[in-house]
Amino acid sequence: MKPFLDFVQSHWLLVTVAILLPITVLSLYPADSLPSVPGTDKTHHFIAYGVLAFPIALARPERWLLLIVGLLMYSGIIELIQPYVNRYGEWLDLGANGLGLIGGVLIAAVARSIVQKEQSL
């Protein structure tokens, strides 16, 4: 686990952008062209934004709140744009995104704590 976390910490910005780009494309892609995937829409939002928050919270624990607020605002802008690209902007999606961001931060905190405990042994 440590090599993965080290990679994410040292390349957090690249990893974040690599996650943000497909989220943006999939969020703005016309709905009539989307493939069917297992799970619910809200689950997809939760997981995507949790994964997005993870590298930020892992590498920049002192600034995670500012960055997460920025990502939540970005998410809100996407929801506002979606009706113009044959999608449906939903406030519940924004809520799932926010919960996902919080989940990603919490998982990063747990991972950081585990690695710190292992290093102190």
Side-chain angles (χ1 to χ4, degrees):
M1 180 164 96
K2 186 156 175 10
F4 169 74
L5 296 178
D6 288 343
F7 176 82
V8 171
Q9 283 185 309
S10 60
H11 302 293
W12 72 274
L13 185 57
L14 179 64
V15 172
T16 300
V17 170
I19 296 166
L20 186 60
L21 287 175
I23 288 173
T24 302
V25 169
L26 290 172
S27 295
L28 297 176
Y29 206 75
D32 57 355
S33 303
L34 289 176
S36 176
V37 291
T40 68
D41 176 53
K42 305 309 176 258
T43 304
H44 301 154
H45 283 266
F46 179 84
I47 292 170
Y49 280 83
V51 169
L52 180 61
F54 180 81
I56 294 170
L58 186 67
R60 298 289 180 259
E62 70 283 355
R63 293 192 181 163
W64 69 265
L65 183 59
L66 177 65
L67 294 167
I68 298 307
V69 168
L71 289 174
L72 189 59
M73 289 172 43
Y74 183 83
S75 166
I77 291 168
I78 285 178
E79 293 301 321
L80 293 172
I81 293 171
Q82 281 184 329
Y84 298 101
V85 293
N86 195 27
R87 295 293 297 268
Y88 302 100
E90 297 181 39
W91 293 113
L92 289 176
D93 288 350
L94 183 63
N97 296 346
L99 290 174
L101 290 167
I102 292 168
V105 168
L106 293 175
I107 291 170
V110 168
R112 207 172 34 257
S113 174
I114 289 171
V115 168
Q116 287 172 350
K117 284 182 184 177
E118 287 176 359
Q119 289 176 344
S120 67
L121 292 178

